[in-house]
Amino acid sequence: MPTPTTVTAPGAPSAPPSQAAAAVEVRGLTFRYPGAEQDSLRGVDLRIAQGDFVAVVGGNGSGKTTLCKAFNGLVPHFWNGDLTGSVEVFGRDTAGLGVAELGADVGYVFQDFGNQLVRPTVRDDVGFAPLNLGHADWAERADRAMAGLDLTSIGDTFTWQLSGGQQHLTALAGALALAPRLLVVDEPAAEVDPARATALYEHLARLNRERGVTVVVIEHHAELVARYARSVVLMADGAPRWHLPVREALGRVDDLAEADIPVPQVIDLARRLAPGTPRLPLTVEECTTLLSSLPSPPVPLTASATVPRAAVRDAPPVATVAGVTHGYRTIAGGRSVVLDDLHLSLHDGEKVALVGSNGAGKSTLLALLAGLTLPRDGTVEVDGRDTRRVSAAELSDAVCYLVQHPEEMFLADSVRGDVAMHPRGRRVPDADTLVEEVLERVRLTQVADRDGRLLSGGQQRRAALAVALAMRPRLLLLDEPTSSLDLRSRDDVIAMLAALAAHIRCTVVATHDMHLVAEWADRVVVLDGGRVLADTDPATLFASPEILSRARLVPPQVSQVGAALGMAPVPLSVDELVERAR
Amino acid sequence: MSAATSTPAETRPAQHRARRRTGWDRTSVEWVKLELMRVAYATRGGFLARRDPRAVVLWYAVCALAPWFTYDLRVLGAFFGLALGAALAARIGPLLLGLFVLSTVGQVGYLLVLVLVLGGDLGSVTGLAQAYFKLSTVSLVSMAAFVSLDPEKITDALLALRAPAILGFAVSYGYRMVPVLVDEFQTIVDGHRMRGAPSRGAGFLGWRALTRAGRIAVQAFYPLILNTAKRTRTTVEALETRGFTAATAAGDGRRLRLAHLRWTGGDALLLGATVAVVVAVYAFA
């Protein structure tokens, strides 16, 4: 085994990535999954230097995950597909090594981190890999890895009791317990709130800086790439188009757009307001400095160019939540409090975004509004009916609730069957025509006979929306409709939500995606500690630092730049800021 | 609210207006889930939970074998009583106890039907009672033992007793799947409650409600298995990455894993006393 790197040398100067030895060297790698009709990787040549922090970006299905699985030998040792070319990790060819041997050098955190946890308790799961590899100090290694991520206090908690953020950290600790020299993390920010995503990235950045761990992340969020990565690999059609230092990479706006990667808003702003600037900004601070140094900085534009979208509070209510307190029984027999004396009313014509950190009670509130759960205390009235007095099935004539993971919406064996389920069950006249119309509207007629689980992420979301449309609800509730979608699928969903307005009286979206809030919502309800912390419009919210920090929200970059420049109301889109600057 | 107001609720048929949901439908699923978790993860304590897992497994082996060497109803009855006592002392909890009582009631009812309607003689009742006592004793001690072992302890015990490592893992992974399956099932049932045809009243003796529940249970099977299978793909890859198969082949982790097990006087006492009681019951009969 090669000598391990000096693990505890904080601040040790690492060689600049370009001159350092290679952590990964891929030559002419082509790979096809067993039974697949196309190659997933096509002639990949890639060199990742030791000590680098690499972001792998690319649209859904561009081969990012397959490439990363080649680093730890899952491709081709676990997935026995057709492989040509070679992969060397720290100078050793992966062809001759087992996955477990590689695992000592390459830590891997899966996108679906919850299912990566295989042992009952946190401590046991973190110690699992060192134990399997026969390290006598496995318990100390586990303790060290947990201490590094502040998990010691939950060491004896059962893994299924953890929140999403804690599960993610546990999975990371499990990978770190082997002190790998290369760490691969697949979509660290997909399912956690912005503050937690930042915290996770801070951990990764520290590992990279202080211990010289080479980090590879697969990431959709260009802001995070800009802030933390040192270099970027753009994957398209199964091969890297380029591998460039981060500043240069994010300047290639056209390439990124072609691959469905959103350009960070700060870069978009700089290119449009300060064309030809030699050094593109990567952070909000850099962008603000750049824009205020312009000959005509867009500062004096405090006049309200766009009136905050008018509230329609005097419209008749679609749903009212009055004094609702709710919680769940815990394993120890007590009861947690998720919602605490919550009051809220939703009106005709509103597009409401429900925001707040993980565990703030968003999903619980949606379940209460859908009548799936009854409140312990207080009343929920939907469409004039108390949810205690009608069954969830009857209420679903008026309310539709789309859960976070679209595959959980697929109850039948085809998309058409799922869409038809509700109208047929109610014996709606012309149910078949309705179903075909809805499928046409979400552009899924071609794949309507396939099982929803076999569709791509974006198609799955559209199929779930189709289910909702066929129910013709007055109140539509959506849980995280845009998480882990690439730009195009995301825009698709947002456009479709906007188009729904004609058919649905009120839509409520629970989300961490502040771009969705900025682009779509006209009312934002911030939940914190089981209560409504703020109930306002997006521009006001993004200009209220106390509320943002308390609810752990991070506004879109353009709003942050606008606020830093002293604009009021803060702009919600790049177009708006540019417009007002002219 | 007076009946004169014409909110949509009031315009519905009288039976709907009169009904008031208790929330029992959803709460009961949650209760069963929590109860399953309490059982699976040994959170209630009890006299076996404090013992070394090897001792518990051996205790189980002794108790589960004891009733199979006799047809004497007195001996079997004594074992049954002792097993019931052990199960209660191990705090098996209301869910398992309820299921057990339910099966007992079913059995006794079946015996009564057999005797009264089919006119069987007392001999057949004795034969069935023997089988019932034996099976019940085994199921009671099984409950007592497994309620007292969390997946961790079972794996350790199986490893220590030289069972194949894959068996130990399968058991602990099975436990890992319990909350996943329950969660998936709950989501699917919620989907059916929202999107399926609404119930049109319970019907005579609740036959409609029963058919509806039955249909949902059957239809839930397909998405349940597919969704769960999709989740396990990550798990299998993670196991591979984290050296589980490699360790199974090398067998090196075993010593490390089991280093913490301690056999104490209490464990010896438990086994000794159990064997003594079993022998004593046979001797007195």
Side-chain angles (χ1 to χ4, degrees):
Chain A
M1 206 171 140
T3 48
T5 48
T6 46
V7 175
T8 47
S14 53
S18 52
Q19 292 145 33
V24 180
E25 184 104 53
V26 183
R27 289 190 205 92
L29 180 68
T30 298
F31 180 76
R32 177 181 299 200
Y33 281 102
E37 288 173 6
Q38 288 182 341
D39 291 339
S40 293
L41 296 175
R42 292 173 196 162
V44 177
D45 286 298
L46 182 68
R47 180 179 189 279
I48 292 175
Q50 285 190 26
D52 203 352
F53 194 127
V54 185
V56 180
V57 302
N60 292 347
S62 60
K64 305 182 298 274
T65 300
T66 310
L67 175 66
C68 289
K69 283 182 181 167
F71 298 166
N72 74 344
L74 280 174
V75 167
H77 294 302
F78 184 76
W79 296 102
N80 296 310
D82 301 335
L83 179 131
T84 52
S86 72
V87 181
E88 274 185 17
V89 176
F90 298 106
R92 298 189 296 168
D93 194 328
T94 60
L97 297 169
V99 178
E101 257 176 288
L102 280 161
D105 262 344
V106 186
Y108 199 105
V109 181
F110 293 83
Q111 177 181 2
D112 177 13
F113 49 83
N115 294 315
Q116 177 172 0
L117 309 179
V118 289
R119 304 292 308 172
T121 66
V122 171
R123 175 168 288 113
D124 195 46
D125 194 80
V126 175
F128 187 61
L131 189 60
N132 282 333
L133 294 183
H135 291 293
D137 59 341
W138 64 277
E140 290 81 58
R141 278 170 179 259
D143 286 340
R144 241 187 346 256
M146 285 195 296
L149 298 175
D150 304 324
L151 291 174
T152 310
S153 59
I154 56 164
D156 294 319
T157 314
F158 293 119
T159 46
W160 48 267
Q161 288 179 310
L162 302 176
S163 70
Q166 289 171 329
Q167 283 190 348
H168 210 156
L169 286 177
T170 305
L172 182 60
L176 290 178
L178 285 175
R181 290 186 285 162
L182 172 66
L183 183 63
V184 181
V185 189
D186 195 343
E187 294 215 36
E191 301 212 1
V192 291
D193 62 48
R196 271 168 228 260
T198 310
L200 193 78
Y201 264 98
E202 290 293 340
H203 280 305
L204 294 179
R206 215 180 58 221
L207 286 167
N208 176 257
R209 208 170 46 235
E210 294 175 4
R211 301 199 197 169
V213 176
T214 312
V215 178
V216 176
V217 293
I218 299 176
E219 186 54 80
H220 280 309
H221 297 77
E223 284 95 2
L224 292 169
V225 173
R227 198 152 141 211
Y228 293 101
R230 292 185 203 192
S231 70
V232 180
V233 175
L234 174 68
M235 288 291 289
D237 295 328
R241 284 193 62 178
W242 37 252
H243 180 196
L244 294 169
V246 63
R247 213 175 281 275
E248 201 180 324
L250 292 173
R252 302 254 179 128
V253 177
D254 299 334
D255 290 352
L256 293 173
E258 205 177 302
D260 295 326
I261 306 301
V263 177
Q265 290 180 323
V266 287
I267 291 190
D268 205 7
L269 277 176
R271 285 169 54 91
R272 288 169 67 176
L273 289 175
T277 179
R279 195 179 148 82
L280 287 169
L282 290 182
T283 62
V284 169
E285 294 76 35
E286 286 178 16
C287 184
T288 314
T289 319
L290 173 74
L291 293 190
S292 25
S293 70
L294 290 179
S296 58
V299 184
L301 300 147
T302 49
S304 173
T306 51
V307 184
R309 282 166 257 192
V312 269
R313 305 287 168 82
D314 43 356
V318 176
T320 21
V321 176
V324 161
T325 299
H326 195 73
Y328 297 98
R329 278 205 177 281
T330 60
I331 196 92
R335 198 189 291 284
S336 65
V337 176
V338 179
L339 297 178
D340 183 12
D341 191 25
L342 185 99
H343 294 265
L344 184 69
S345 59
L346 305 167
H347 304 88
D348 243 359
E350 282 183 333
K351 295 188 274 185
V352 186
L354 198 57
V355 301
S357 54
N358 289 119
K362 300 190 296 293
S363 300
T364 303
L365 181 54
L366 294 187
L368 285 168
L369 283 169
L372 284 178
T373 313
L374 296 181
R376 297 259 162 232
D377 213 354
T379 54
V380 178
E381 260 187 40
V382 177
D383 199 26
R385 287 179 282 170
D386 187 333
T387 56
R388 273 183 220 284
R389 289 177 187 277
V390 284
S391 70
E394 288 168 278
L395 206 60
S396 74
D397 290 332
V399 196
C400 173
Y401 172 30
L402 296 189
V403 295
Q404 182 173 358
H405 300 288
E407 64 262 37
E408 289 178 346
M409 296 295 298
F410 302 136
L411 303 177
D413 56 3
S414 70
V415 175
R416 182 174 282 116
D418 273 309
V419 175
M421 188 173 170
H422 184 267
R424 288 221 184 105
R426 315 285 146 136
R427 312 215 168 111
V428 172
D430 294 333
D432 292 340
T433 331
L434 172 72
V435 169
E436 291 312 316
E437 253 177 46
V438 164
L439 285 171
E440 196 59 45
R441 204 180 319 153
V442 296
R443 306 195 306 280
L444 285 178
T445 312
Q446 306 294 325
V447 292
D449 291 320
R450 293 174 62 184
D451 189 298
R453 277 161 279 262
L454 301 175
L455 304 180
S456 72
Q459 286 175 325
Q460 288 194 354
R461 303 279 171 173
R462 297 214 303 269
L465 277 177
V467 169
L469 279 175
M471 292 170 74
R472 294 184 292 185
R474 255 154 278 185
L475 175 63
L476 175 61
L477 311 167
L478 300 117
D479 202 346
E480 292 286 359
T482 55
S483 70
S484 51
L485 290 183
D486 65 12
L487 183 69
R488 187 183 305 170
S489 319
R490 229 185 112 252
D491 284 350
D492 253 12
V493 170
I494 295 181
M496 217 153 267
L497 280 180
L500 287 184
H503 305 270
I504 289 160
R505 279 165 55 189
C506 179
T507 308
V508 181
V509 170
T511 188
H512 293 310
D513 182 350
M514 290 304 133
H515 292 274
L516 173 65
V517 175
E519 285 168 41
W520 171 82
D522 54 21
R523 179 178 171 195
V524 198
V525 174
V526 186
L527 287 188
D528 182 58
R531 285 164 183 268
V532 175
L533 177 66
D535 184 353
T536 175
D537 59 282
T540 315
L541 171 68
F542 293 150
S544 319
E546 322 80 63
I547 296 175
L548 292 172
S549 75
R550 208 170 135 196
R552 324 204 328 158
L553 303 173
V554 181
Q557 288 183 324
V558 65
S559 304
Q560 295 183 46
V561 171
L565 290 174
M567 296 171 87
V570 296
L572 294 176
S573 67
V574 174
D575 286 338
E576 188 190 334
L577 195 152
V578 172
E579 188 65 30
R580 283 162 65 181
R582 291 223 164 95
Chain B
M1 201 191 323
S2 84
T5 53
S6 62
T7 57
E10 305 301 317
T11 59
R12 311 221 126 221
Q15 56 164 21
H16 290 238
R17 192 173 39 198
R19 202 169 67 222
R20 189 174 171 83
R21 283 170 71 200
T22 54
W24 178 242
D25 42 0
R26 175 76 175 252
T27 322
S28 56
V29 176
E30 236 149 60
W31 180 78
V32 168
K33 177 176 154 188
L34 280 179
E35 196 52 38
L36 272 178
M37 302 318 293
R38 288 187 189 126
V39 166
Y41 289 89
T43 52
R44 279 214 178 84
F47 80 109
L48 287 175
R50 287 189 294 273
R51 298 271 68 90
D52 185 287
R54 288 170 293 187
V56 179
V57 170
L58 290 175
W59 175 86
Y60 171 59
V62 171
C63 294
L65 284 177
W68 296 100
F69 303 105
T70 181
Y71 293 100
D72 188 333
L73 269 182
R74 288 169 305 163
V75 177
L76 290 173
F79 281 141
F80 175 79
L82 287 169
L84 187 61
L88 291 176
R91 303 191 192 162
I92 60 172
L95 177 70
L96 288 187
L97 203 60
L99 285 176
F100 181 76
V101 169
L102 205 69
S103 80
T104 303
V105 169
Q107 285 282 343
V108 172
Y110 169 62
L111 280 182
L112 282 179
V113 168
L114 192 81
V115 173
L116 298 177
V117 180
L118 299 179
D121 59 6
L122 214 61
S124 56
V125 175
T126 320
L128 285 167
Q130 283 168 355
Y132 169 72
F133 276 136
K134 286 181 183 179
L135 290 174
S136 300
T137 305
V138 174
S139 62
L140 280 171
V141 291
S142 311
M143 287 193 267
F146 287 101
V147 152
S148 309
L149 292 170
D150 62 21
E152 215 42 16
K153 289 184 173 172
I154 297 185
T155 326
D156 288 353
L158 288 173
L159 258 184
L161 298 172
R162 303 261 171 205
I166 195 76
L167 177 68
F169 182 79
V171 169
S172 86
Y173 187 66
Y175 275 98
R176 167 83 181 79
M177 292 310 287
V178 170
V180 171
L181 281 171
V182 175
D183 269 342
E184 284 285 348
F185 185 71
Q186 192 171 354
T187 320
I188 292 166
V189 169
D190 276 351
H192 275 284
R193 284 174 55 205
M194 266 195 303
R195 287 158 55 197
S199 112
R200 287 173 290 131
F204 178 65
L205 289 179
W207 73 271
R208 242 190 229 128
L210 274 178
T211 353
R212 184 164 179 258
R215 190 181 296 129
I216 290 180
V218 173
Q219 287 177 343
F221 184 75
Y222 166 77
L224 181 71
I225 295 305
L226 281 190
N227 289 354
T228 315
K230 237 182 138 178
R231 281 162 169 252
T232 45
R233 199 169 54 185
T234 301
T235 310
V236 176
E237 287 186 20
L239 283 177
E240 199 71 18
T241 312
R242 300 170 75 191
F244 179 71
T245 24
T248 319
D252 205 20
R254 183 175 177 275
R255 189 180 39 82
L256 293 170
R257 251 216 98 83
L258 300 179
H260 72 99
L261 289 185
R262 294 276 173 280
W263 183 275
T264 62
D267 300 314
L269 188 66
L270 172 76
L271 279 184
T274 310
V275 171
V277 167
V278 169
V279 171
V281 169
Y282 271 107
F284 277 109

